[in-house]
Coordinates of all heavy atoms in Angstrom, one line a residue:
A82 N -7.8 -0.7 20.8 CA -8.1 0.1 19.5 C -7.6 -0.8 18.3 O -8.3 -0.9 17.2 CB -7.3 1.3 19.5
L83 N -6.5 -1.5 18.5 CA -6.1 -2.5 17.4 C -7.1 -3.6 17.1 O -7.5 -3.9 16.0 CB -4.7 -3.1 17.7 CG -4.3 -4.1 16.7 CD1 -4.1 -3.6 15.4 CD2 -2.8 -4.7 17.2
R84 N -7.7 -4.2 18.3 CA -8.7 -5.3 18.1 C -9.9 -4.7 17.4 O -10.4 -5.4 16.4 CB -9.0 -5.7 19.5 CG -8.3 -7.1 20.0 CD -9.0 -7.6 21.2 NE -9.4 -6.7 22.1 CZ -8.5 -6.3 23.3 NH1 -7.3 -6.7 23.3 NH2 -9.0 -5.4 24.2
R85 N -10.4 -3.6 17.7 CA -11.5 -2.9 17.0 C -11.2 -2.6 15.5 O -12.1 -3.0 14.7 CB -11.8 -1.6 17.6 CG -12.7 -1.8 19.0 CD -13.5 -0.5 19.5 NE -12.5 0.6 19.6 CZ -11.8 0.9 20.5 NH1 -11.6 0.2 21.6 NH2 -10.9 2.1 20.4
S86 N -9.9 -2.2 15.3 CA -9.5 -2.0 13.9 C -9.5 -3.2 13.0 O -10.0 -3.3 11.9 CB -8.3 -1.2 13.9 OG -8.3 0.1 14.3
L87 N -8.9 -4.3 13.6 CA -8.9 -5.6 12.9 C -10.3 -6.2 12.7 O -10.6 -6.7 11.6 CB -7.9 -6.6 13.7 CG -6.5 -6.1 13.8 CD1 -5.7 -7.2 14.8 CD2 -5.8 -6.1 12.4
Y88 N -11.1 -6.0 13.7 CA -12.5 -6.5 13.6 C -13.1 -5.7 12.4 O -13.9 -6.3 11.6 CB -13.2 -6.5 14.9 CG -14.8 -6.7 14.8 CD1 -15.1 -8.1 14.8 CD2 -15.6 -5.6 14.7 CE1 -16.4 -8.3 14.8 CE2 -17.0 -6.1 14.5 CZ -17.4 -7.3 14.5 OH -18.7 -7.7 14.3
F89 N -13.1 -4.4 12.3 CA -13.7 -3.6 11.3 C -13.2 -4.0 10.0 O -13.9 -4.3 9.0 CB -13.3 -2.2 11.6 CG -13.8 -1.3 10.6 CD1 -15.1 -0.7 10.4 CD2 -12.8 -0.9 9.5 CE1 -15.5 0.1 9.3 CE2 -13.2 -0.1 8.5 CZ -14.6 0.4 8.4
L90 N -11.8 -4.2 9.8 CA -11.3 -4.5 8.6 C -11.8 -6.1 8.2 O -12.2 -6.2 6.9 CB -9.7 -4.6 8.6 CG -9.1 -3.2 8.6 CD1 -7.7 -3.4 8.7 CD2 -9.4 -2.4 7.4
R91 N -11.9 -6.9 9.1 CA -12.3 -8.2 8.8 C -13.8 -8.2 8.3 O -14.2 -8.9 7.4 CB -12.2 -9.2 10.0 CG -10.7 -9.6 10.1 CD -10.5 -10.4 11.4 NE -9.0 -10.9 11.4 CZ -8.4 -10.9 12.6 NH1 -8.8 -10.4 13.8 NH2 -7.1 -11.4 12.5
R92 N -14.6 -7.5 9.0 CA -16.0 -7.3 8.6 C -16.3 -6.8 7.3 O -17.0 -7.2 6.4 CB -16.6 -6.5 9.7 CG -18.3 -6.5 9.5 CD -18.9 -5.7 10.6 NE -18.6 -4.3 10.2 CZ -18.3 -3.3 11.1 NH1 -18.5 -3.5 12.4 NH2 -18.2 -2.0 10.7
E93 N -15.4 -5.6 7.0 CA -15.5 -4.9 5.6 C -14.9 -5.6 4.5 O -15.5 -5.5 3.4 CB -15.2 -3.5 5.9 CG -15.8 -2.7 6.9 CD -17.3 -2.5 6.6 OE1 -17.6 -2.2 5.4 OE2 -18.1 -2.5 7.4
L94 N -13.9 -6.3 4.8 CA -13.1 -6.9 3.6 C -13.5 -8.3 3.3 O -13.4 -8.8 2.2 CB -11.7 -6.8 3.9 CG -11.1 -5.4 4.2 CD1 -9.6 -5.6 4.5 CD2 -11.3 -4.5 3.1
G95 N -14.1 -9.0 4.3 CA -14.6 -10.3 3.9 C -13.6 -11.3 4.7 O -12.6 -10.9 5.2
D96 N -14.1 -12.6 4.7 CA -13.4 -13.7 5.4 C -12.0 -13.8 4.9 O -11.8 -13.9 3.6 CB -14.3 -15.1 5.3 CG -15.5 -15.0 6.1 OD1 -15.5 -14.3 7.0 OD2 -16.4 -15.8 5.8
G97 N -11.0 -14.2 5.7 CA -9.8 -14.7 5.4 C -8.8 -13.7 4.8 O -7.8 -14.2 4.2
I98 N -9.0 -12.5 4.8 CA -8.2 -11.6 4.2 C -7.0 -11.0 5.2 O -5.9 -11.1 5.1 CB -8.8 -10.3 3.5 CG1 -9.6 -10.9 2.3 CG2 -7.9 -9.2 3.1 CD1 -10.3 -10.0 1.6
V99 N -7.6 -10.5 6.4 CA -6.8 -10.1 7.5 C -6.7 -11.3 8.5 O -7.8 -11.8 9.0 CB -7.2 -8.8 8.3 CG1 -6.3 -8.5 9.5 CG2 -7.3 -7.7 7.3
V100 N -5.5 -11.9 8.6 CA -5.4 -13.2 9.4 C -4.4 -13.1 10.5 O -3.3 -12.2 10.4 CB -5.1 -14.4 8.4 CG1 -6.3 -14.6 7.4 CG2 -3.8 -14.1 7.5
G101 N -4.4 -13.9 11.4 CA -3.4 -14.1 12.5 C -2.6 -15.3 12.3 O -3.1 -16.2 11.8
R102 N -1.3 -15.2 12.7 CA -0.5 -16.4 12.7 C -0.4 -17.0 14.2 O -0.1 -18.0 14.4 CB 0.8 -16.1 12.0 CG 1.8 -17.3 12.0 CD 2.9 -17.1 11.1 NE 3.8 -16.1 11.7 CZ 5.0 -15.7 11.2 NH1 5.3 -16.3 9.9 NH2 5.7 -14.8 11.6
S103 N -0.5 -16.2 15.1 CA -0.4 -16.5 16.5 C -1.3 -15.4 17.2 O -1.9 -14.6 16.6 CB 0.9 -16.5 17.0 OG 1.4 -15.2 17.0
E104 N -1.4 -15.4 18.5 CA -2.0 -14.4 19.3 C -1.4 -13.0 19.0 O -2.0 -12.0 19.2 CB -2.1 -14.8 20.8 CG -2.9 -15.9 21.1 CD -4.4 -15.6 20.9 OE1 -4.8 -14.4 21.3 OE2 -5.2 -16.3 20.3
E105 N -0.2 -13.1 18.8 CA 0.7 -11.9 18.7 C 1.1 -11.3 17.3 O 1.7 -10.4 17.2 CB 1.9 -12.0 19.5 CG 1.7 -12.0 21.1 CD 0.9 -10.8 21.5 OE1 1.2 -9.7 21.1 OE2 -0.1 -11.0 22.3
E106 N 0.7 -12.0 16.2 CA 1.0 -11.6 14.9 C -0.1 -11.6 13.9 O -1.1 -12.4 14.1 CB 2.1 -12.7 14.3 CG 3.4 -12.5 15.0 CD 4.4 -13.4 14.4 OE1 4.0 -14.7 14.1 OE2 5.6 -13.0 14.3
V107 N -0.2 -10.5 13.1 CA -1.3 -10.4 12.3 C -0.7 -9.8 10.8 O 0.3 -9.2 10.8 CB -2.2 -9.4 12.8 CG1 -1.7 -8.1 12.9 CG2 -3.6 -9.3 12.0
G108 N -1.5 -10.2 9.8 CA -1.1 -9.7 8.4 C -2.3 -10.1 7.4 O -3.3 -10.3 7.8
L109 N -1.8 -10.2 6.2 CA -2.7 -10.4 5.1 C -2.4 -11.8 4.6 O -1.3 -12.3 4.5 CB -2.5 -9.4 4.0 CG -2.8 -8.0 4.1 CD1 -2.5 -7.2 2.9 CD2 -4.2 -7.7 4.5
A110 N -3.5 -12.6 4.3 CA -3.3 -13.8 3.7 C -2.9 -13.7 2.3 O -3.0 -12.7 1.6 CB -4.8 -14.5 3.5
D111 N -2.1 -14.8 1.9 CA -1.4 -14.8 0.5 C -2.5 -14.7 -0.4 O -3.5 -15.3 -0.5 CB -0.7 -16.1 0.3 CG 0.5 -16.3 1.2 OD1 1.0 -15.2 1.8 OD2 1.1 -17.4 1.2
D112 N -2.1 -13.8 -1.5 CA -3.0 -13.6 -2.6 C -4.4 -13.1 -2.4 O -5.3 -13.3 -3.2 CB -3.1 -14.8 -3.5 CG -1.8 -15.3 -3.9 OD1 -0.9 -14.5 -4.3 OD2 -1.4 -16.5 -3.8
S113 N -4.6 -12.3 -1.3 CA -5.8 -11.9 -0.8 C -6.1 -10.4 -1.3 O -7.2 -10.0 -1.3 CB -6.1 -12.0 0.5 OG -5.2 -11.1 1.3
L114 N -5.0 -9.8 -1.7 CA -5.1 -8.4 -1.9 C -4.0 -8.0 -3.0 O -2.9 -8.4 -2.9 CB -4.8 -7.4 -0.7 CG -4.9 -6.1 -0.8 CD1 -5.7 -5.4 0.2 CD2 -3.6 -5.3 -1.1
R115 N -4.4 -7.4 -4.0 CA -3.5 -6.8 -5.1 C -3.3 -5.4 -4.8 O -4.2 -4.7 -4.7 CB -4.1 -7.0 -6.5 CG -4.3 -8.5 -7.0 CD -4.8 -8.7 -8.4 NE -4.1 -7.7 -9.3 CZ -4.6 -7.0 -10.2 NH1 -5.9 -6.9 -10.4 NH2 -3.8 -6.3 -11.0
C116 N -2.0 -5.0 -4.9 CA -1.7 -3.7 -4.4 C -0.8 -3.0 -5.6 O 0.2 -3.7 -5.9 CB -1.0 -3.5 -3.2 SG -0.5 -1.8 -2.7
D117 N -1.2 -1.9 -6.2 CA -0.5 -1.3 -7.5 C 1.0 -1.1 -7.1 O 1.8 -1.2 -7.8 CB -1.2 -0.2 -8.0 CG -1.5 1.0 -6.9 OD1 -1.3 0.9 -5.8 OD2 -1.8 1.9 -7.5
A118 N 1.3 -0.7 -5.8 CA 2.5 -0.3 -5.5 C 3.4 -1.5 -5.4 O 4.6 -1.4 -5.9 CB 2.7 0.5 -4.1
A119 N 3.0 -2.7 -4.9 CA 3.7 -3.9 -4.9 C 3.9 -4.3 -6.3 O 5.0 -4.9 -6.7 CB 3.0 -5.0 -4.0
E120 N 2.8 -4.2 -7.3 CA 3.0 -4.6 -8.7 C 4.0 -3.8 -9.3 O 4.7 -4.2 -10.2 CB 1.6 -4.5 -9.3 CG 0.7 -5.6 -8.8 CD -0.7 -5.6 -9.5 OE1 -1.0 -4.6 -10.1 OE2 -1.5 -6.5 -9.2
F121 N 4.0 -2.5 -9.0 CA 4.9 -1.6 -9.6 C 6.4 -1.9 -9.3 O 7.2 -2.0 -10.2 CB 4.8 -0.1 -9.0 CG 5.8 0.8 -9.2 CD1 6.0 1.4 -10.5 CD2 6.6 1.1 -8.0 CE1 7.2 2.3 -10.5 CE2 7.7 2.1 -8.2 CZ 7.9 2.7 -9.4
E122 N 6.6 -2.2 -8.0 CA 8.0 -2.7 -7.7 C 8.3 -3.9 -8.4 O 9.5 -4.2 -8.7 CB 8.2 -2.8 -6.2 CG 7.9 -1.4 -5.5 CD 8.6 -1.4 -4.0 OE1 9.8 -1.2 -3.9 OE2 7.8 -1.6 -3.2
A123 N 7.3 -4.9 -8.4 CA 7.7 -6.2 -9.0 C 8.1 -6.1 -10.6 O 9.1 -6.6 -11.1 CB 6.6 -7.2 -8.9
A124 N 7.4 -5.2 -11.1 CA 7.7 -4.8 -12.5 C 9.0 -4.2 -12.8 O 9.7 -4.5 -13.8 CB 6.6 -3.9 -13.2
V125 N 9.4 -3.2 -11.9 CA 10.7 -2.7 -12.0 C 11.8 -3.7 -11.9 O 12.7 -3.8 -12.6 CB 10.8 -1.6 -10.9 CG1 12.3 -1.0 -10.7 CG2 10.0 -0.3 -11.1
K126 N 11.6 -4.7 -10.8 CA 12.7 -5.8 -10.7 C 12.7 -6.6 -11.8 O 13.7 -7.2 -12.1 CB 12.2 -6.6 -9.3 CG 12.6 -5.9 -8.1 CD 12.1 -6.7 -6.8 CE 12.6 -5.8 -5.6 NZ 11.9 -6.5 -4.4
Q127 N 11.6 -6.9 -12.6 CA 11.5 -7.7 -13.7 C 12.2 -6.8 -14.9 O 12.3 -7.6 -16.0 CB 10.2 -8.3 -14.0 CG 9.8 -9.2 -13.0 CD 8.1 -9.4 -12.9 OE1 7.4 -8.8 -13.8 NE2 7.6 -10.1 -12.0
G128 N 12.4 -5.7 -14.9 CA 12.8 -4.9 -16.0 C 11.8 -4.4 -16.9 O 12.1 -3.9 -17.9
D129 N 10.5 -4.5 -16.6 CA 9.3 -4.1 -17.3 C 9.0 -2.8 -16.9 O 8.0 -2.5 -16.2 CB 8.1 -5.2 -17.1 CG 7.0 -5.0 -18.1 OD1 7.1 -4.0 -18.9 OD2 6.1 -5.7 -18.1
L130 N 9.9 -1.8 -17.4 CA 9.9 -0.5 -16.9 C 8.5 0.3 -17.5 O 7.9 1.2 -16.8 CB 11.1 0.3 -17.3 CG 12.3 -0.4 -16.7 CD1 13.5 0.6 -16.9 CD2 12.2 -0.5 -15.2
D131 N 8.1 0.0 -18.7 CA 6.9 0.6 -19.2 C 5.7 0.3 -18.4 O 5.0 1.1 -18.1 CB 6.7 0.3 -20.7 CG 5.8 1.2 -21.4 OD1 6.0 2.4 -21.2 OD2 4.9 0.8 -22.0
R132 N 5.6 -1.1 -18.0 CA 4.5 -1.5 -17.3 C 4.5 -0.9 -15.8 O 3.5 -0.4 -15.3 CB 4.5 -3.0 -17.1 CG 3.5 -3.5 -16.0 CD 2.8 -4.8 -16.3 NE 2.1 -5.2 -15.0 CZ 1.0 -4.8 -14.6 NH1 0.4 -3.8 -15.3 NH2 0.5 -5.2 -13.5
A133 N 5.7 -0.8 -15.3 CA 6.0 -0.2 -13.9 C 5.4 1.3 -14.0 O 4.6 1.7 -13.2 CB 7.3 -0.3 -13.6
L134 N 5.8 2.1 -15.0 CA 5.4 3.4 -14.9 C 3.9 3.7 -15.3 O 3.3 4.6 -14.9 CB 6.4 4.1 -16.1 CG 7.7 4.2 -15.6 CD1 8.6 4.7 -16.8 CD2 7.9 5.3 -14.5
Q135 N 3.3 2.6 -16.1 CA 1.9 2.7 -16.2 C 1.2 2.5 -14.9 O 0.1 3.1 -14.7 CB 1.4 1.7 -17.2 CG 2.0 1.8 -18.7 CD 1.4 3.1 -19.4 OE1 0.5 3.7 -19.0 NE2 2.2 3.5 -20.4
L136 N 1.8 1.7 -14.1 CA 1.1 1.6 -12.7 C 1.3 2.8 -11.8 O 0.5 3.0 -10.8 CB 1.6 0.3 -12.0 CG 1.3 -1.0 -12.6 CD1 2.3 -2.2 -12.2 CD2 -0.2 -1.4 -12.3
Y137 N 2.3 3.5 -12.1 CA 2.6 4.7 -11.2 C 1.8 5.9 -11.8 O 2.2 6.7 -12.5 CB 4.2 5.0 -11.3 CG 4.6 6.0 -10.2 CD1 5.0 5.5 -9.0 CD2 4.5 7.3 -10.4 CE1 5.3 6.4 -7.9 CE2 4.9 8.2 -9.3 CZ 5.3 7.7 -8.2 OH 5.6 8.7 -7.1

Side-chain angles (χ1 to χ4, degrees):
L83 176 59
R84 271 193 308 274
R85 285 193 309 273
S86 293
L87 294 173
Y88 174 79
F89 173 85
L90 289 173
R91 286 175 173 136
R92 188 184 71 214
E93 296 299 320
L94 302 178
D96 286 340
I98 291 176
V99 177
V100 294
R102 184 167 62 183
S103 68
E104 286 294 314
E105 289 303 316
E106 293 182 310
V107 66
L109 298 176
D111 287 348
D112 302 322
S113 63
L114 183 139
R115 292 181 55 221
C116 179
D117 60 348
E120 291 177 354
F121 162 77
E122 292 201 88
V125 169
K126 283 181 184 169
Q127 293 161 5
D129 191 351
L130 302 184
D131 194 52
R132 166 150 171 73
L134 290 166
Q135 296 294 339
L136 287 163
Y137 194 89

